[in-house]
Amino acid sequence: RRPPRSTLFPYTTLFRSPVPTDPIILKYRDLFDLDSAPWGSAMHLGLQVDGVAWREVIERMCERLRPLAVEAKARGLDFRILAVKEKFGTLRIAYRDGTDEIEAEVQRARIESSVTCERCGGVGDMRDVSGWVRVLCGRCLQIASQRTTSDA
């Protein structure tokens, strides 16, 4: 027997994949797995990146991945990005059905993120900011440290 709709309603809306509003996801929609979220993909959470500058790294990666995805599809592979997030101070991109060329581009983006200030896009280093590993330049580190100190 099925419970009344009022009982199911909160759960059905909670697990429904939202319509993406992120400009990068909309522009490169063919690269992202939006259909199997939330169980097979984390793209229902969007791009899990705080740094504005890293969005540029992601967009450049997507631009390079698009033709590679077409080639992969011609080989019978269904390449899709499953998640984009920051972890331990670098970008982490999870995907399925990739090729060696796709892996190289994903690694290129990860390496680029490890030396790109996540706030301003300048040359940055991995730094410990209140227990979080972040990639920041000297100026942005000072700003982040001031915020941390004033919050304490």
Side-chain angles (χ1 to χ4, degrees):
R1 206 177 122 170
R2 186 174 181 185
R5 177 163 164 59
S6 60
T7 308
L8 288 175
F9 181 72
Y11 300 106
T12 57
T13 56
L14 176 67
F15 293 116
R16 187 179 318 145
S17 298
V19 176
T21 57
D22 188 287
I24 294 174
I25 294 174
L26 291 173
K27 184 176 180 180
Y28 300 99
R29 187 181 186 109
D30 55 313
L31 297 178
F32 294 96
D33 182 359
L34 302 171
D35 299 327
S36 63
W39 292 278
S41 161
M43 289 314 305
H44 66 289
L45 301 172
L47 301 176
Q48 300 173 64
V49 176
D50 292 332
V52 175
W54 279 10
R55 296 179 61 77
E56 295 171 8
V57 173
I58 295 166
E59 187 155 15
R60 287 191 298 271
M61 177 195 68
C62 288
E63 188 66 35
R64 294 187 306 260
L65 284 176
R66 187 170 261 166
L68 298 176
V70 171
E71 290 175 20
K73 187 169 186 134
R75 294 187 204 171
L77 299 172
D78 184 28
F79 168 74
R80 290 286 185 267
I81 296 172
L82 304 175
V84 178
K85 64 182 181 177
E86 175 185 357
K87 188 170 184 177
F88 302 122
T90 61
L91 281 175
R92 299 288 195 237
I93 297 104
Y95 61 90
R96 71 164 187 250
D97 288 344
T99 62
D100 291 341
E101 295 84 6
I102 288 172
E103 173 64 21
E105 289 302 332
V106 168
Q107 288 303 319
R108 180 177 172 184
R110 188 179 65 77
I111 291 167
E112 187 179 347
S113 73
S114 71
V115 295
T116 303
C117 177
E118 61 191 64
R119 296 190 69 217
C120 72
V123 176
D125 293 311
M126 286 195 187
R127 322 244 187 182
D128 183 316
V129 180
S130 299
W132 294 97
V133 179
R134 299 181 64 190
V135 179
L136 298 169
C137 65
R139 186 173 56 93
C140 292
L141 175 63
Q142 287 178 342
I143 294 168
S145 296
Q146 289 171 356
R147 285 187 182 161
T148 305
T149 306
S150 66
D151 291 344

